[in-house]
Amino acid sequence: MLQPSPRRNRRGRLLRIGAAFVVLLAVAGYLAVQYVTGGTGGPGCKVVSAEDDGATYEFEPEQAVNAATITAVGTARGLPERAVTIALATALQESALRNIDYGDRDSLGLFQQRPSQGWGTPEEIMDPAYAAGKFYDHLVEVPGYTRLPLTVAAQRVQRSGFPQAYAKHEPDATLLAAALTGRSAATLTCEGRPAATRDKGPDAVREALVRDFGRDVLQPAGAEAGRARSAAPPASAGGSDGRTVTLPVPDDAGSAAGRDAGQRGWQLAHWAVANASALHIERVSYAGREWVAGHTDPRWRPAEGSDGDGGPGGAQGAERGAGAVRIVTAR
């Protein structure tokens, strides 16, 4: 019986080792891309309840960005927190808060809206702000939607084949809505990451703010959206280092939606934290508290030189929110 030659055995081992090395490189590359883009395996985000009931919800940066957009679009229309909760629960069920480009038949996006059913073009539906707006357009046409069970209100918009599925997401959606509307202060955190590149900056932050809230979000700061990246930001919208976006919060900032200035300020602050990975935001401060990217324990802490009286527990008056939200981008 012929025995395999030692040379052939060595060649086989080398081929197997080489193949295993290629697989390891591919896995490492995938994980690196996911980390950089904020996908699976990226630094996480967390919402904690302000009610001392121990409730929490953990999610990924991609999901946090989409949840913040859904919330901003709703509050920019002056809709109540209940509308935001319904929208968030719906998106949790339909897409897990991911802007997916596939689904049942021609369903797309956060809410799995169908171009063939008149929800818009595929390109429009894949725009989270547009998709959220279309959902709210239909929700406000449901008589008494704020008094209906969440699953009933969502189903009257979505016409889903699984109408009871929305109900299981109501607790998480309620937590998210409380934080992202600003009603619960200092309750949303993300690890984030201090980026070493400046391919994002104050202009990108302003553009994203306008995308989600509308141009009025920048009016108190006297800033303009869509500025050329080569243009220096105005002093009121960027610090002397060219890295800071400052958003003053007037006393009547939330009056259109029945909210006080503190809520408006915390909504903007939480929006910035949710977008930290996507926009390379390094630091956010408001009402005497500060969040800094890159911490494994990314709690809101008293800002330097502050007694930190803007702590968790809800936005309880305009005096707590007096001042401005400051968003500092990476160096």
Side-chain angles (χ1 to χ4, degrees):
M1 182 182 217
L2 293 175
Q3 298 294 326
S5 70
R7 180 177 298 175
R8 184 177 300 172
N9 284 337
R10 285 197 299 271
R11 184 182 299 118
R13 283 196 298 272
L14 288 173
L15 287 173
R16 287 193 295 272
I17 292 171
F21 184 68
V22 169
V23 170
L24 286 173
L25 282 178
V27 171
Y30 170 80
L31 292 176
V33 169
Q34 292 299 314
Y35 184 90
V36 170
T37 60
T40 302
C45 298
K46 183 177 182 179
V47 173
V48 299
S49 173
E51 305 301 326
D52 294 326
D53 55 8
T56 63
Y57 179 71
E58 296 188 31
F59 55 147
E60 295 171 9
E62 173 194 356
Q63 297 168 300
V65 170
N66 291 327
T69 292
I70 291 169
T71 304
V73 171
T75 57
R77 294 176 174 221
L79 297 179
E81 187 177 324
R82 180 62 176 173
V84 172
T85 301
I86 295 168
L88 289 171
T90 302
L92 279 165
Q93 170 60 28
E94 297 291 351
S95 67
L97 285 171
R98 299 185 189 281
N99 195 29
I100 53 179
D101 60 358
Y102 58 87
D104 179 47
R105 290 171 284 190
D106 60 338
S107 299
L108 296 169
L110 291 174
F111 296 92
Q112 289 291 277
Q113 295 158 335
R114 298 181 59 192
S116 64
Q117 300 300 306
W119 287 92
T121 66
E123 293 75 16
E124 287 173 330
I125 291 171
M126 290 300 295
D127 175 351
Y130 172 91
K134 292 298 286 185
F135 179 87
Y136 289 124
D137 285 344
H138 286 75
L139 180 64
V140 297
E141 294 178 357
V142 176
Y145 73 89
T146 59
R147 300 186 300 275
L148 293 174
L150 183 146
T151 191
V152 173
Q155 173 63 2
R156 291 189 182 175
V157 175
Q158 296 294 107
R159 308 295 182 185
S160 169
F162 304 94
Q164 297 305 315
Y166 303 109
K168 66 186 177 186
H169 298 289
E170 185 165 3
D172 292 335
T174 299
L175 267 183
L176 283 171
L180 289 168
T181 61
R183 178 170 62 82
S184 294
T187 53
L188 176 103
T189 58
C190 295
E191 280 184 44
R193 64 182 66 85
T197 175
R198 293 194 62 183
D199 62 339
K200 304 283 185 178
D203 287 334
V205 172
R206 285 192 289 270
E207 290 165 5
L209 282 162
V210 170
R211 173 199 70 204
D212 286 0
F213 291 94
R215 188 170 296 274
D216 288 349
V217 72
L218 296 181
Q219 294 308 307
E224 294 178 4
R227 299 172 59 86
R229 293 190 183 277
S230 59
S236 57
S240 59
D241 57 5
R243 298 166 48 208
T244 304
V245 175
T246 302
L247 300 171
V249 183
D251 288 346
D252 61 351
S255 59
R259 303 182 301 148
D260 63 35
Q263 281 188 248
R264 174 65 163 180
W266 277 112
Q267 177 176 19
L268 293 169
H270 283 161
W271 176 94
V273 172
N275 280 272
S277 291
L279 297 174
H280 298 178
I281 292 169
E282 185 177 88
R283 185 183 304 266
V284 181
S285 59
Y286 178 64
R289 296 184 73 83
E290 181 178 71
W291 168 90
V292 180
H295 287 291
T296 55
D297 181 18
R299 290 175 295 173
W300 286 87
R301 292 174 169 81
E304 185 177 349
S306 167
D307 60 7
D309 62 354
Q316 298 174 348
E319 68 279 2
R320 256 194 49 194
V325 176
R326 289 182 174 80
I327 303 168
V328 182
T329 57
R331 295 180 186 277

